[in-house]
Amino acid sequence: MKTVRISKNVARFDIGKTDKKFAILSDLHWDNPKCNRKLLKAHLDYCLKENIPVIINGDLFCLMQGKGDRRGNKSDLRPEHAFNNYFDSIVTTAVEWFTPYAHIIKLVGYGNHETSIIKHCETDVLQRFVDLINYKCSSNILTGGYGGWIIFNYIDNSMHKSIKLKYYHGAGGGGVVTKGAINLTRALTNYEADIFTMGHIHENSSRTDAKEVLYIRKNICEVKHKYIHSMITGTYKDEYGDGSSGWHIERGAPVKILGGRILTLNFSRQRINDVRQFQCAIDSRQFPII
């Protein structure tokens, strides 16, 4: 698979017959002690074994223990980051930890935790991480945006089909009852995409919606049904724990489903009205129990 940067937040993935699965992760909060690194490692090892490309949609880092950060809490500081060069230590240790996965990670986008540090501390920790791991590993990880697009460009002999994925880290707090369903419904009106994915609210779900569209090809007008697959990816930060204490408990938040999702693209040839066409069935599921 070849990755190409088209613009600041648009990338193209040239994929072939074997490129059917993609791991969509978000909200790793890798530097927080509450990050379930055992689960994260199991998921990344699974992707490495199965050769599944990884896309990270924001909040790779937590970054809340810097000087003057009002969100700071000494219990949320890992010992290997308890230094005056706090942000530097996160970058160097993260590069070391993610090095085995450098060649399967294809794109990393920004979340509110990374953009907050750019705003208040005038340093781009995410870009520093990507630059250093690419330098060290000769990898080609792309830095995305807070929102952006990925074009999956599938080519088979003389035929090709492009699938458009819109990623957006997310906004708002979701809802205990709706669990992000309203966010996905809003996305249907905001973006003309085949796939929409978001994180941020630490939920984990997917759904498929349909629209009526009019396709015009040469002298033929045809009414078709367009399917849009939407997903919310979960976090790896287990804030609930045993439910005894903490900000997450005090605000009445529930247990969250941990982990990202595996996106599957199944391409097939079909003859419709005597015209050979590529079709693509899109689905996503939680990671298998490992």
Side-chain angles (χ1 to χ4, degrees):
M1 188 185 79
K2 181 182 179 181
T3 58
V4 180
R5 181 184 296 280
I6 304 300
S7 64
K8 181 179 180 180
N9 66 334
V10 179
R12 190 186 76 229
F13 291 6
D14 293 333
I15 61 177
K17 293 180 179 180
T18 60
D19 303 309
K20 294 182 178 180
K21 294 184 178 182
F22 300 84
I24 314 293
L25 313 182
S26 69
D27 303 279
L28 279 60
H29 298 279
W30 174 84
D31 51 304
N32 192 293
K34 295 184 177 69
C35 172
N36 190 332
R37 288 194 181 181
K38 181 179 180 181
L39 179 67
L40 175 59
K41 184 179 186 303
H43 286 178
L44 290 174
D45 285 343
Y46 172 79
C47 293
L48 192 63
K49 179 182 177 182
E50 300 295 328
N51 196 28
I52 298 174
V54 176
I55 298 163
I56 301 175
N57 186 19
D59 283 356
L60 168 60
F61 300 119
C62 210
L63 306 172
M64 295 196 297
Q65 310 309 315
K67 185 176 181 179
D69 196 320
R70 291 180 295 177
R71 303 168 298 176
N73 186 327
K74 291 182 180 178
S75 63
D76 287 337
L77 181 63
R78 300 183 70 93
E80 63 267 32
H81 301 145
F83 297 98
N84 289 334
N85 61 340
Y86 168 68
F87 294 124
D88 295 336
S89 67
I90 289 176
V91 172
T92 54
T93 54
V95 168
E96 181 180 357
W97 197 89
F98 283 98
T99 286
Y101 314 109
H103 291 280
I104 62 169
I105 299 174
K106 301 302 178 183
L107 184 143
V108 183
Y110 288 85
N112 53 294
H113 282 257
E114 289 94 6
T115 57
S116 176
I117 297 305
I118 295 173
K119 178 180 179 181
H120 295 288
C121 301
E122 300 180 338
T123 184
D124 190 338
V125 175
L126 188 69
Q127 187 63 60
R128 288 164 59 185
F129 164 76
V130 170
D131 288 344
L132 186 56
I133 196 170
N134 280 342
Y135 174 79
K136 178 181 177 182
C137 303
S138 299
S139 50
N140 186 35
I141 301 172
L142 302 180
T143 308
Y146 194 96
W149 293 85
I150 296 173
I151 304 167
F152 295 105
N153 192 40
Y154 180 82
I155 301 174
D156 183 7
N157 297 327
S158 61
M159 301 183 69
H160 80 276
K161 185 174 182 63
S162 294
I163 299 296
K164 295 177 292 183
L165 179 146
K166 170 64 183 180
Y167 67 87
Y168 174 63
H169 177 67
V176 175
V177 176
T178 59
K179 296 184 180 293
I182 295 174
N183 302 64
L184 298 185
T185 301
R186 289 194 183 108
L188 289 172
T189 64
N190 290 340
Y191 312 113
E192 186 61 39
D194 301 295
I195 307 165
F196 172 76
T197 184
M198 64 170 284
H200 185 66
I201 61 174
H202 296 192
E203 300 290 351
N204 196 319
S205 64
S206 69
R207 78 188 213 203
T208 300
D209 294 271
K211 289 183 177 181
E212 178 188 309
V213 294
L214 180 64
Y215 281 91
I216 301 175
R217 184 180 64 254
K218 295 182 179 179
N219 296 323
I220 301 174
C221 293
E222 188 176 4
V223 174
K224 290 187 176 182
H225 298 166
K226 176 181 175 65
Y227 296 100
I228 303 101
H229 186 78
S230 304
M231 72 181 96
I232 304 173
T233 48
T235 183
Y236 286 85
K237 183 180 178 183
D238 184 5
E239 297 182 272
Y240 194 91
D242 62 3
S244 63
S245 62
W247 178 74
H248 190 81
I249 304 303
E250 291 176 8
R251 70 187 184 95
V255 178
K256 298 290 188 176
I257 297 175
L258 302 182
R261 299 186 69 83
I262 300 291
L263 172 69
T264 303
L265 307 178
N266 282 318
F267 291 92
S268 63
R269 293 172 180 266
Q270 295 185 16
R271 184 172 291 276
I272 303 174
N273 295 332
D274 292 327
V275 178
R276 285 198 309 165
Q277 297 183 17
F278 264 145
Q279 299 295 314
C280 182
I282 303 169
D283 189 23
S284 72
R285 300 181 183 274
Q286 295 177 32
F287 273 81
I289 297 175
I290 300 171

